[in-house]
Amino acid sequence: MIKKVAPAFSLNGTITPPADKSISQRAAIFALLHDGKSVIKNYSPAEDPQSTLSCVELLGASVTQLDDVVVVEGRGRYGIQPLSDELDCGNSGTAMRLLSGVLVGSGSSVYLIGDPSLSARTMKRIIDPLESMGAHILARNGMFAPLFVTREDPLIPIEFELPIPSAQLKSCILLAGLFGETPTKVIETVPSRDHTERLLNLDVEVVDGKRVISASLNNKIPNQSYTIPADFSAAAFWLVAGSILPDSEIRLENVGLNPTRTGLLDILLKMGADITIENKHEEGAEPAGDIIVKSAQLRNIDLDPKVIPNCIDELPILAVAMMYAQGTSIISGAEELRHKETDRIMAIAKMLDAVGGVYEEMEDGLVIRGNPEFEFESGEFDSFHDHRIAMASAVLSLKGKSDSEIESAESAAVSYPSFWDDLDGLVEG
Ligand code: S3P
């Protein structure tokens, strides 16, 4: 679908973005592992969490969904019983990687398949450690889906230092480790999102500045009955849009504020954004609150590579903020971006090209020359079927002088099905 986006002079209003995608997917998978009923409130309607829910059902849980409430009757770790020899993870890397851990732990033999984008993303990062735990994984060219996951030998608990700061890899190994008699330990030097540790209540020690997270059969899997907060990564589009469009004020309600996710908030504040937080509270094991953003004059920033894991999904929209900041901004140490739903460094570069932006592409990031007065007529954007590129392009389009076009705009539904309606609502203010 090609979406036309008209210029907007300001954005105003209150919205509640969809439920957190990472937490929704974990809630479904952990509820499968829990022996008993979980009532998950505000489960995300987006495509990725729905793919995960279908997989959880095919692994033997009974799932009932009524509006945004999902009831999962889990069978416990030993009750996992694949009802199909194939699980379709759609576009979701989180589903494929976390479920691989569950399959290896439970010793189930299943094919994991995905859409063309997911089938082009490397799974080597999970294959090697899972094989060292006793699994046997067949993959196209040794690293791509479809994956056939099986384990006939006894599970071998491991100590594994993460070679990249990836929460999907961390969670995959910990989920397999939950089935071991002795603990599997994952060692993390650069912290990544910690929803798995929080929602499973895992032991975390800090040794020599590194986080050591353990999982074994001794961990009781908690009931996953809680309300999922709105997705900070979805709110991110409005944080930038509200900052760069004049006379704007947007209130984002009940948004997840887990500090391992809110890197963009700190970055925008350093850039001079006008953002405040109200009603801070806990939603289950996760902090949440309302975020209010008002227009502001942004200035440039040179990102510390250490913050990249805490804003990795927000870099496409941050690039739009950098376009309208005073001075030259730098994103570096972000090579991981090349391994997302698409090569996002390339895709950001193409997005900036579409409006004549001034930037330099590097192997691990971008240097972006900002200009608060930057003007362009309109853009023809290719989203590369990547939800976050489609939504970042939409925000950039609002700054054009005439209508812009976004190709494969329907991809927004992977994480944010109501994005286009929310945009219309804020434009009408
Ligand atoms: C996610 C972790 C991140 C993130 C992805 C969701 C998760 O990926 O980019 O959108 O739910 O754990 P990596 O762990 O591969 O960095």
Side-chain angles (χ1 to χ4, degrees):
M1 158 183 116
I2 295 181
K3 181 91 187 163
K4 267 197 180 9
V5 181
F9 301 104
S10 64
L11 294 183
N12 286 283
T14 298
I15 48 175
T16 306
D20 190 283
K21 173 162 87 74
S22 286
I23 299 178
S24 293
Q25 294 184 280
R26 281 165 174 77
I29 296 171
F30 303 166
L32 162 76
L33 299 177
H34 171 69
D35 194 355
K37 181 166 155 177
S38 294
V39 180
I40 310 166
K41 293 191 181 141
N42 195 33
Y43 192 86
S44 171
E47 288 171 4
D48 274 6
Q50 293 298 321
S51 300
T52 304
L53 207 50
S54 306
C55 294
V56 160
E57 204 167 6
L58 287 175
L59 286 172
S62 130
V63 175
T64 332
Q65 191 166 195
L66 190 62
D67 299 327
D68 63 356
V69 179
V70 172
V71 179
V72 179
E73 284 279 355
R75 310 272 180 249
R77 270 170 273 207
Y78 297 112
I80 291 177
Q81 196 55 262
L83 306 174
S84 159
D85 56 9
E86 188 178 276
L87 299 181
D88 188 350
C89 301
N91 189 247
S92 175
T94 301
M96 188 165 280
R97 292 182 175 132
L98 270 59
L99 288 170
S100 296
V102 171
L103 295 171
V104 167
S106 62
S108 313
S109 302
V110 174
Y111 281 93
L112 289 168
I113 62 165
D115 73 3
S117 150
L118 183 55
S119 306
R121 294 175 69 180
T122 179
M123 293 296 145
K124 186 87 178 131
R125 57 186 60 185
I126 59 163
I127 293 173
D128 292 346
L130 287 176
E131 291 206 318
S132 73
M133 297 180 86
H136 189 53
I137 299 180
L138 291 174
R140 187 174 49 85
N141 293 345
M143 64 174 128
F144 299 115
L147 304 181
F148 180 68
V149 180
T150 180
R151 177 178 61 78
E152 275 151 20
D153 300 326
L155 186 74
I156 309 165
I158 57 169
E159 274 200 20
F160 179 64
E161 180 153 345
L162 291 171
I164 38 169
S166 161
Q168 292 180 355
L169 173 55
K170 168 172 71 177
S171 304
C172 167
I173 304 308
L174 289 168
L175 286 170
L178 278 175
F179 293 79
E181 274 167 24
T182 57
T184 280
K185 291 180 187 251
V186 174
I187 302 151
E188 186 176 58
T189 25
V190 181
S192 61
R193 66 189 68 192
D194 65 356
H195 306 303
T196 297
E197 297 90 303
R198 284 173 184 254
L199 301 173
L200 288 175
N201 203 12
L202 298 178
D203 290 336
V204 182
E205 274 179 285
V206 179
V207 182
D208 298 332
K210 299 178 182 181
R211 296 176 80 238
V212 182
I213 311 133
S214 312
S216 74
L217 271 176
N218 285 332
N219 290 95
K220 198 170 174 297
I221 312 288
N223 173 314
Q224 299 294 310
S225 298
Y226 41 78
T227 303
I228 298 173
D231 199 332
F232 180 84
S233 299
F237 297 99
W238 310 123
L239 293 182
V240 171
S243 296
I244 64 174
L245 285 162
D247 303 321
S248 297
E249 178 167 344
I250 306 172
R251 186 180 186 96
L252 300 153
E253 290 191 320
N254 203 24
V255 180
L257 291 172
N258 179 319
T260 62
R261 292 286 298 283
T262 51
L264 179 81
L265 195 62
D266 307 325
I267 293 165
L268 287 174
L269 287 171
K270 282 195 184 131
M271 293 174 80
D274 182 348
I275 299 176
T276 46
I277 293 177
E278 290 177 4
N279 299 332
K280 234 181 150 179
H281 62 284
E282 296 284 316
E283 290 275 1
E286 296 278 345
D290 299 343
I291 314 180
I292 299 105
V293 58
K294 296 181 189 163
S295 331
Q297 176 59 70
L298 300 182
R299 48 183 178 270
N300 63 326
I301 191 160
D302 181 354
L303 281 195
D304 178 350
K306 280 214 257 349
V307 308
I308 297 292
N310 295 348
C311 64
I312 187 81
D313 291 342
E314 288 66 70
L315 292 173
I317 189 62
L318 178 60
V320 175
M322 288 172 164
M323 277 279 296
Y324 285 91
Q326 184 71 54
T328 298
S329 293
I330 304 174
I331 300 173
S332 59
E335 209 270 337
E336 251 317 272
L337 264 193
R338 295 204 182 268
H339 307 288
K340 295 295 174 189
E341 284 81 334
T342 186
D343 172 348
R344 285 192 177 150
I345 295 184
M346 170 282 294
I348 293 171
K350 296 276 182 249
M351 173 177 78
L352 301 183
D353 277 341
V355 297
V358 184
Y359 71 91
E360 186 194 326
E361 180 179 340
M362 304 181 293
E363 201 35 50
D364 68 344
L366 296 134
V367 177
I368 298 174
R369 174 119 50 92
N371 173 7
E373 312 304 329
F374 182 75
E375 290 189 346
F376 64 94
E377 186 54 42
S378 63
E380 280 185 19
F381 297 97
D382 188 346
S383 71
F384 301 93
H385 301 275
D386 181 324
H387 54 130
R388 300 199 198 282
I389 300 297
M391 293 186 277
S393 303
V395 171
L396 183 50
S397 301
L398 300 175
K399 298 286 283 181
K401 289 187 185 157
S402 57
D403 290 4
S404 292
E405 286 187 350
I406 300 167
E407 215 213 310
S408 52
E410 70 285 352
S411 61
V414 161
S415 61
Y416 196 163
S418 56
F419 176 81
W420 303 106
D421 292 340
D422 283 352
L423 174 57
D424 289 345
L426 290 170
V427 168
E428 283 159 20

